[in-house]
Amino acid sequence: ILAPAFVALVPPFAFRRILDHSIPHRDHRGIDILAGIVVAAALADATLAILQRWWSARIGEGLIYDLRVQLFEKVQRMPVAFFTRTQTGSLVSRLNNDVVGAQTAVTSTLGSVVSNVVVLLTSLIAMLALEWRLTLLALIPLPPLSVAVYLFGDAIHKRFEAIQEQLSTISAVTQEALSGVRVVRAYGQEPFEVERFREANEEYLRRNRKLIRLQGAFFPIMGLLMGCGALLVLWLGSRDVMAGRMSVGELVAFNAYLLMLSWPMIAFGWVTNLLQRGSASWKRMLDVLDATPGVRDLAEPSDLPPVRGDLELRHLTFAYGGRDVLRDVSLSLGKGQILFIVGISGAGKSVLVKHLVGLMKPDAGHLPDPLLLPPVFLTLNTFPKG
């Protein structure tokens, strides 16, 4: 990560030597040697950049692999109520799109931040060694540049978070339409589903365009601020050359180092863009990772007491959406007995079963530990109303 920053210092120094010493003294051999050094430095910089990207991508991919597995494991352990209030398409979007957004932020910025900080510091030191007054002049655009990065970064974060939320909506609409395609076709609801998807997609396009307009102004503003600093340096530096306070080689080297200083500032804007987008994806994933699971880890078989073979519920009550689904349910089932639960759709049969296997918790009443339940065969039959 650090090596490319020091390799990049070589070409400006070589240009200075060529202009100030080799050309005035007609030193062809010196020009050839310095040109070879510049070519070698360029090859080394390219090789190190490839290795840096490979290293960053490998670490980032490993981190995202672990995150994706943890996210999926966490979803598997969430209570049924979590899936009631969270659309399946939204979860799929977090596992796919948000993970990719976080992955891009990690792999693209992991090494870039460190290397650009080193390039900035080394370039600044080299510029101060050449001409400290011009260096201070070149730093004038930095305060407004920092303010612009902060303001644009905050706005990019909010807009990208809105984009990811709408992408979850599109995934949810798609998942619901495809999973229920038989019902959609049976009732002739194809036009309704197409219109619903079109509206969700139009909203996604609208939010993306808002982000594109913001990003379209971000980098030109950064380039304008850095260009103003370069123009001041060129104007005053030319006067110093004509006055004999600087050589042509020193001015060329100074501008080369200034260009190296400008790139980290632009790169920080690019990194800010990626990090803001990645942080929005991270936030959506953390909403799931930080949630409290509703299913306990299964104990080891050796830790479980012997199964008794009896099942007893006492005064089980559960309400959902302001309506009692189960009200004061009590039953006793002995070892080897079979219980048939029958009733109309919505009577609470599935809710009762979910309580028995520990997927839901009652509002009141006694329920045996699902880990200690004996094998119970539950047959659910739905009778039509009337």
Side-chain angles (χ1 to χ4, degrees), residues 311 313 341 351-358 367-368 370 373 376 378:
L311 174 64
L313 308 179
I341 306 175
V351 173
L352 178 60
V353 173
K354 290 175 181 178
H355 278 83
L356 290 176
V357 296
L367 186 70
L373 283 176
V376 178
L378 297 144

Side-chain angles (χ1 to χ4, degrees), residues 301-323:
S302 58
D303 297 333
L304 296 176
V307 176
R308 299 184 300 273
D310 298 322
L311 174 64
E312 183 179 5
L313 308 179
R314 294 196 301 270
H315 308 294
L316 189 66
T317 299
F318 177 77
Y320 178 74
R323 182 177 67 89

Side-chain angles (χ1 to χ4, degrees), residues 245-300:
R245 291 189 292 270
M246 285 185 73
S247 67
V248 174
E250 289 175 339
L251 180 60
V252 170
F254 187 91
N255 278 280
Y257 289 128
L258 178 61
L259 182 62
M260 290 172 55
L261 181 69
S262 302
W263 166 244
M265 299 306 302
I266 296 175
F268 285 144
W270 171 72
V271 167
T272 300
N273 186 3
L274 287 179
L275 287 178
Q276 292 296 343
R277 297 176 64 146
S279 65
S281 297
W282 278 101
K283 181 177 180 296
R284 285 167 48 81
M285 289 186 294
L286 288 177
D287 289 341
V288 177
L289 290 174
D290 293 340
T292 303
V295 181
R296 293 183 300 162
D297 291 329
L298 293 177
E300 294 294 330

Side-chain angles (χ1 to χ4, degrees), residues 143-153 218 221-222 225:
L145 187 63
S146 301
V147 174
V149 168
Y150 172 78
L151 295 177
F152 274 96
F218 183 35
I221 288 176
M222 292 189 64
L225 292 174

Side-chain angles (χ1 to χ4, degrees), residues 43-373:
L43 292 174
D45 183 63
T47 302
L48 292 170
I50 293 172
L51 294 175
Q52 175 184 319
R53 288 187 174 89
W54 174 82
W55 175 81
S56 299
R58 182 172 181 178
I59 293 180
E61 292 288 346
L63 291 173
I64 297 305
Y65 166 82
D66 293 336
L67 178 62
R68 183 180 279 118
V69 172
Q70 290 179 18
L71 191 62
F72 187 78
E73 288 179 348
K74 190 60 173 288
V75 169
Q76 294 297 312
R77 297 177 52 78
M78 295 306 294
V80 174
F82 173 81
F83 297 97
T84 302
R85 65 176 182 268
T86 306
Q87 294 175 311
T88 303
S90 176
L91 294 175
V92 172
S93 178
R94 296 179 197 225
L95 282 166
N96 292 327
N97 302 315
D98 288 319
V99 166
V100 171
Q103 175 188 20
T104 302
V106 172
T107 56
S108 300
T109 63
L110 191 62
S112 178
V113 173
V114 178
S115 62
N116 281 308
V117 168
V118 176
V119 168
L120 190 148
L121 293 176
T122 53
S123 302
L124 191 59
I125 292 173
M127 291 167 61
L128 288 170
L130 286 173
E131 178 55 66
W132 65 270
R133 291 173 299 176
L134 287 181
T135 303
L136 296 179
L137 191 65
L139 296 179
I140 290 177
L142 291 186
L145 187 63
S146 301
V147 174
V149 168
Y150 172 78
L151 295 177
F152 274 96
D154 183 61
I156 288 172
H157 173 81
K158 293 178 180 177
R159 295 191 181 185
F160 188 75
E161 191 173 30
I163 288 174
Q164 291 300 92
E165 290 175 356
Q166 186 61 24
L167 191 57
S168 294
T169 301
I170 292 178
S171 299
V173 170
T174 304
Q175 185 270 333
E176 291 170 2
L178 296 180
S179 62
V181 66
R182 293 178 179 84
V183 178
V184 172
R185 296 296 296 274
Y187 287 91
Q189 293 297 303
E190 296 94 334
F192 171 78
E193 293 296 335
V194 170
E195 180 64 19
R196 193 160 70 110
F197 181 82
R198 185 188 64 79
E199 291 177 357
N201 209 25
E202 283 184 350
E203 177 63 19
Y204 177 72
L205 180 62
R206 187 185 67 82
R207 296 185 183 187
N208 264 292
R209 284 174 174 169
K210 290 178 63 177
L211 178 62
I212 291 171
R213 286 195 294 268
L214 188 66
Q215 291 176 331
F218 183 35
F219 291 103
I221 288 176
M222 292 189 64
L224 176 63
L225 292 174
M226 296 304 300
C228 290
L231 183 62
L232 289 173
V233 167
L234 185 61
W235 179 60
L236 291 179
S238 300
R239 292 175 175 270
D240 287 342
V241 170
M242 290 186 289
R245 291 189 292 270
M246 285 185 73
S247 67
V248 174
E250 289 175 339
L251 180 60
V252 170
F254 187 91
N255 278 280
Y257 289 128
L258 178 61
L259 182 62
M260 290 172 55
L261 181 69
S262 302
W263 166 244
M265 299 306 302
I266 296 175
F268 285 144
W270 171 72
V271 167
T272 300
N273 186 3
L274 287 179
L275 287 178
Q276 292 296 343
R277 297 176 64 146
S279 65
S281 297
W282 278 101
K283 181 177 180 296
R284 285 167 48 81
M285 289 186 294
L286 288 177
D287 289 341
V288 177
L289 290 174
D290 293 340
T292 303
V295 181
R296 293 183 300 162
D297 291 329
L298 293 177
E300 294 294 330
S302 58
D303 297 333
L304 296 176
V307 176
R308 299 184 300 273
D310 298 322
L311 174 64
E312 183 179 5
L313 308 179
R314 294 196 301 270
H315 308 294
L316 189 66
T317 299
F318 177 77
Y320 178 74
R323 182 177 67 89
D324 287 339
V325 180
L326 302 175
R327 185 186 302 118
D328 198 24
V329 177
S330 299
L331 64 87
S332 179
L333 188 63
K335 182 178 179 180
Q337 288 184 311
I338 297 176
L339 174 68
F340 289 89
I341 306 175
V342 296
I344 64 174
S345 179
K349 303 180 299 299
S350 299
V351 173
L352 178 60
V353 173
K354 290 175 181 178
H355 278 83
L356 290 176
V357 296
L359 294 178
M360 302 181 77
K361 293 183 178 181
D363 296 330
H366 169 74
L367 186 70
D369 193 329
L371 294 175
L372 306 181
L373 283 176

Side-chain angles (χ1 to χ4, degrees), residues 3-4 6-8 10-11 14-15 32-49:
F6 295 101
V7 171
V10 176
F15 295 150
D32 293 339
I33 293 174
L34 291 171
I37 292 174
V38 171
V39 172
L43 292 174
D45 183 63
T47 302
L48 292 170

